[in-house]
């Protein structure tokens, strides 16, 4: 209970207690006191009083006064994926460092759900929106455009708004070259011994398939369209594709490219139903990074997409008055087997 009874402390209450003007108190509480050249001792006094009297900002009132709510949204396809969860972690930290309040929601790759969620976020007067991995970015753009909402595409590009994505083509080239060169250490590799599983008809998958085919043909020859199984991103469908291949050939391919960590989960489901000999000599490349995948009993090369750089670039784009509708490519990183990288989770503050 504050000395103001049940009534919440206001800026004007803190002004009386501190002996400072309401505008000075407001500048301290919204973080702009240094720009106003307010003394640090004054800022510390006001911050201490705000904490003692449990002051909380009325974001709705602030939004009405400034025409900005301070809310910034991130629309994800899913949460249960290290790449997207890492992206969300980075987004939240970046937004908070800018004095904004982050809101993260997912739409489960459902275009209608994407549209409805964006309309809901707009009703809460968000200032900006990051659209990550949307099935139909341009349709989401139309909703944002009608509301005058600044937005940027992340992970999958659109044609009507700026986009920031991984260089999927170059990443796929690095990954394909790595698994073929590893396999060649044990002798010649034939074109029909190198496969790709997973992905769907979206920009990222098409670019990864293009990079895979480009390197495979250059290194091994053969039909660049052969040995490609776009199963979608469902783990169940991916497991079924491996089961079908195994039933037809009696073994898995010598080396293969898996289009995401979700597809890698499908591989794990398949392997869990078969003896160790089934995967004793396979070499896998996964276009996604999970440290646990690096320590499987067979070599797994992975591509780590730089979500930190993508989010930072997205914020820079939204700071531009009229950003051009172009797609910015961010270089991914090849991670060799038995490698655990640091990431956003390392910023967690554990108690002693």
């Amino acid at each position: 209970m504050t000395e103001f009874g049940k009534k919440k402390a206001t800026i004007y209450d803190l002004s009386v207690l501190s002996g400072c003007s309401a505008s000075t108190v407001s500048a301290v509480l919204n973080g702009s006191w240094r720009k106003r050249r307010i003394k640090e001792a004054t800022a510390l006094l006001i911050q201490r009083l705000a904490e003692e009297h449990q002051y909380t900002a009325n974001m709705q009132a602030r939004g009405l006064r400034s025409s900005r709510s301070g809310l910034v949204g991130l629309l994800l396809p899913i949460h249960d994926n290290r790449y997207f969860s890492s992206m969300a972690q980075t987004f939240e930290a970046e937004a908070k460092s800018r004095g904004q309040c982050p809101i993260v929601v997912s739409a489960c790759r459902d275009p209608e759900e994407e549209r409805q969620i964006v309309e809901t976020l707009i009703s809460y007067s968000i200032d900006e929106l990051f659209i990550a991995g949307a099935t139909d970015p341009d349709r989401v753009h139309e909703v944002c455009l009608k509301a005058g909402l600044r937005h940027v595409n992340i992970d999958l590009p659109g044609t009507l708004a700026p986009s920031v994505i991984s260089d999927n083509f170059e990443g796929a080239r690095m990954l394909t070259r790595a698994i073929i060169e590893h396999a060649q250490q044990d002798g010649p590799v034939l074109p029909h011994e190198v496969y790709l599983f997973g992905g769907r008809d979206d920009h990222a998958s098409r670019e990864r398939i293009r990079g895979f085919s480009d390197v495979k043909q250059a290194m091994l020859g053969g039909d660049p369209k052969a040995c490609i199984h776009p199963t979608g991103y469902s783990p169940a469908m991916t497991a079924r594709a491996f089961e079908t291949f195994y039933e037809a050939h009696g073994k898995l391919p010598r080396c293969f490219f898996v289009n995401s960590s979700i597809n890698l989960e499908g591989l794990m489901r398949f392997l869990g139903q078969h003896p160790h000999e089934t995967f004793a000599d396979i070499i896998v490349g996964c276009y996604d990074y999970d440290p646990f995948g690096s320590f499987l009993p067979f070599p797994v090369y992975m591509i780590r997409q730089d979500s930190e750089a993508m989010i930072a670039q997205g914020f820079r784009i939204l700071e531009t008055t009229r950003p051009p509708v172009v797609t910015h490519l961010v270089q991914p990183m090849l991670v060799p087997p038995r490698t655990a990288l640091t990431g956003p989770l390392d910023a967690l503050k554990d108690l002693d």
Side-chain angles (χ1 to χ4, degrees):
M1 184 78 69
T2 73
E3 71 178 64
F4 304 106
K6 294 183 178 179
K7 173 177 169 288
K8 288 184 178 179
T10 68
I11 284 178
Y12 302 101
D13 296 324
L14 298 178
S15 173
V16 171
L17 290 169
S18 65
C20 301
S21 69
S23 64
T24 297
V25 174
S26 178
V28 170
L29 296 177
N30 67 26
S32 64
W33 58 273
R34 289 186 178 86
K35 294 180 182 178
R36 292 269 307 273
R37 298 184 179 179
I38 295 169
K39 293 180 180 178
E40 184 174 0
T42 301
L44 291 174
L45 169 63
I46 292 170
Q47 290 167 351
R48 179 177 60 77
L49 289 170
E51 184 175 350
E52 286 178 2
H53 298 284
Q54 301 172 20
Y55 170 83
T56 55
N58 186 328
M59 298 304 291
Q60 279 190 314
R62 180 184 294 179
L64 289 172
R65 290 192 298 270
S66 66
S67 297
R68 290 182 65 82
S69 65
L71 304 175
V72 57
L74 170 63
L75 175 65
L76 294 176
I78 54 174
H79 291 284
D80 190 16
N81 170 275
R82 181 170 286 270
Y83 169 53
F84 287 118
S85 63
S86 176
M87 181 183 291
Q89 191 85 8
T90 299
F91 169 78
E92 289 184 349
E94 186 73 23
K96 290 174 182 176
S97 74
R98 294 165 178 265
Q100 296 172 293
C101 179
I103 300 176
V104 181
V105 289
S106 67
C108 298
R109 299 191 187 277
D110 182 334
E112 185 59 29
E113 184 77 4
E114 290 168 357
R115 184 187 62 78
Q116 291 177 2
I117 285 175
V118 172
E119 289 178 345
T120 300
L121 291 173
I122 289 171
S123 74
Y124 282 93
S125 300
I126 63 169
D127 297 326
E128 297 161 346
L129 178 63
F130 286 66
I131 305 162
T135 57
D136 193 347
D138 288 346
R139 188 180 181 197
V140 176
H141 163 81
E142 292 172 357
V143 177
C144 295
L145 185 64
K146 289 179 182 177
L149 176 64
R150 294 174 64 78
H151 57 285
V152 62
N153 298 312
I154 304 291
D155 183 59
L156 287 177
T159 63
L160 303 175
S163 303
V164 186
I165 66 171
S166 282
D167 189 343
N168 291 286
F169 175 71
E170 186 54 37
R173 284 173 50 83
M174 290 191 293
L175 189 61
T176 307
R177 186 180 299 110
I179 61 174
I180 291 176
E181 287 178 348
H182 191 118
Q184 287 175 332
Q185 295 174 15
D186 295 324
V189 177
L190 299 176
H192 70 270
E193 295 179 303
V194 183
Y195 276 73
L196 181 148
F197 292 88
R200 61 193 297 175
D201 186 19
D202 60 21
H203 180 275
S205 294
R206 290 192 296 269
E207 286 297 283
R208 293 170 193 175
I209 290 171
R210 188 167 71 91
F212 168 82
S213 301
D214 181 76
V215 169
K216 182 182 172 184
Q217 186 174 42
M219 294 183 70
L220 305 178
D223 182 358
K225 296 182 180 179
C227 304
I228 295 173
H229 296 271
T231 63
Y233 288 122
S234 162
M237 291 182 65
T238 308
R240 195 175 307 128
F242 280 112
E243 192 67 57
T244 299
F245 185 96
Y246 183 73
E247 290 174 356
H249 299 85
K251 61 179 181 178
L252 291 179
R254 184 170 178 185
C255 62
F256 51 92
F257 181 125
V258 181
N259 208 14
S260 79
S261 59
I262 306 174
N263 296 128
L264 185 66
E265 183 178 333
L267 174 63
M268 296 301 100
R269 292 186 187 184
F270 164 80
L271 295 178
Q273 303 300 315
H274 294 273
H276 177 269
E277 292 75 17
T278 308
F279 51 92
D281 59 355
I282 62 174
I283 300 160
V284 177
C286 177
Y287 202 105
D288 254 343
Y289 171 73
D290 190 306
F292 301 107
S294 298
F295 294 89
L296 289 167
F298 44 85
V300 181
Y301 290 84
M302 306 186 113
I303 289 290
R304 184 186 184 276
Q305 303 181 76
D306 194 344
S307 59
E308 295 91 343
M310 285 189 276
I311 290 296
Q313 180 67 21
F315 274 104
R316 286 193 292 270
I317 288 171
L318 292 176
E319 290 173 349
T320 306
T321 304
R322 291 183 179 177
V325 181
V326 297
T327 297
H328 303 261
L329 297 179
V330 175
Q331 182 75 7
M333 172 185 180
L334 178 68
V335 182
R338 305 193 69 77
T339 304
L341 304 175
T342 59
L345 292 178
D346 288 282
L348 292 176
K349 295 179 175 63
D350 290 323
L351 299 176
D352 294 330

